[in-house]
Amino acid sequence: MLVKGSEKRIFTVAPHAGMALTGLLADGRQIVNSCRDEAQQYKRFYGQAIPGKMLNQRISSYIQYFTLHDSVRPFGSSVILASYDKSGPGLYMIEPSGVSYGYRAVAIGQEKQVAKTELENLDFTTITSREAVMEIAKIIYKIHDDVKDKEFELELSWVCAESNGKHEHIPEDLLAEANKVGKQNLEADQFGSDEEMEI
């Protein structure tokens, strides 16, 4: 039985940046805390929000440091960092080795390859943020396997022009609609595959 909100995997690290994580939750929270510290120190010193690219570089270096010394172990968590600053939106994926890349869309976790294939079929330059939420919900429900995977709670956030450049969880009504669309799409796929098998 999953208690609602107990498996939180999305965190706000700065007003204009958020982080999603997979892997060991405790390790991920340590990365989130470090990211928050970096953002606060930059804001205190320079008087403005840290650019997403710089925050990515600093956190990547922090994670990579833990792979260099035998007195500490590497983090067991991969993270996605999303930001919205003067240069526009930014999306980065940081691996446990500290390697990071910028993306238009990316997936992490068990079924990341299947999710990446689905994301490649979408043109994020032509769809709105709300449409992207619906498409991502469809993908998440499609790749989730009720038999192999544990129960999950759909958790989505955004940082975009629609949220005024602030990282926040999507509105409840939009989350409910995304859940509904994801479940309907899953059922349609399942019924479609059953019909194909009968033929």
Side-chain angles (χ1 to χ4, degrees):
M1 294 295 202
L2 182 67
V3 178
K4 187 174 182 179
S6 63
E7 271 290 304
K8 191 174 175 190
R9 296 278 178 163
I10 298 176
F11 300 88
T12 298
V13 294
H16 70 292
M19 185 173 275
L21 55 97
T22 188
L24 299 176
L25 194 54
D27 286 10
R29 286 188 178 137
Q30 181 63 34
I31 295 169
V32 167
N33 289 336
S34 175
C35 198
R36 287 175 175 159
D37 290 344
E38 287 290 344
Q40 289 170 359
Q41 287 174 8
Y42 189 95
K43 174 84 172 173
R44 246 190 328 268
F45 192 78
Y46 295 105
Q48 62 183 7
I50 187 170
K53 188 173 183 178
M54 183 173 290
L55 185 58
N56 171 59
Q57 290 170 346
R58 288 184 177 190
I59 295 306
S60 296
S61 297
Y62 173 75
I63 292 172
Q64 197 261 340
Y65 172 83
F66 282 79
T67 66
L68 299 176
H69 304 283
D70 59 358
S71 60
V72 292
R73 67 169 177 78
F75 287 104
S77 186
S78 294
V79 298
I80 295 175
L81 175 66
S83 66
Y84 197 94
D85 53 34
K86 293 175 186 173
S87 60
L91 183 67
Y92 308 92
M93 193 268 291
I94 310 170
E95 297 175 354
S97 63
V99 174
S100 69
Y101 298 100
Y103 293 91
R104 286 193 187 275
V106 68
I108 56 175
Q110 282 182 328
E111 298 292 333
K112 68 181 177 187
Q113 209 52 48
V114 178
K116 282 182 184 179
T117 303
E118 293 292 328
L119 289 169
E120 287 171 0
N121 295 329
L122 300 175
D123 183 5
F124 287 99
T125 59
T126 60
I127 63 175
T128 67
S129 300
R130 288 181 175 267
E131 291 170 340
V133 165
M134 297 305 156
E135 293 299 326
I136 290 167
K138 288 179 190 176
I139 292 169
I140 291 171
Y141 273 97
K142 183 176 182 178
I143 64 173
H144 182 262
D145 186 352
D146 288 331
V147 177
K148 290 190 320 188
D149 302 332
K150 62 183 179 180
E151 189 179 345
F152 81 99
E153 176 185 354
L154 185 63
E155 184 183 9
L156 299 170
S157 69
W158 60 11
V159 54
C160 55
E162 190 158 341
S163 67
N164 296 320
K166 305 287 184 211
H167 177 260
E168 55 190 32
H169 282 80
I170 64 170
E172 286 296 321
D173 60 328
L174 187 59
L175 180 61
E177 187 181 344
N179 267 310
K180 183 180 175 186
V181 167
K183 289 175 183 175
Q184 287 174 345
N185 189 61
L186 179 63
E187 289 171 6
D189 283 352
Q190 288 174 343
F191 287 128
S193 62
D194 289 345
E195 290 171 7
E196 289 169 11
M197 291 174 76
E198 291 173 7
I199 295 175

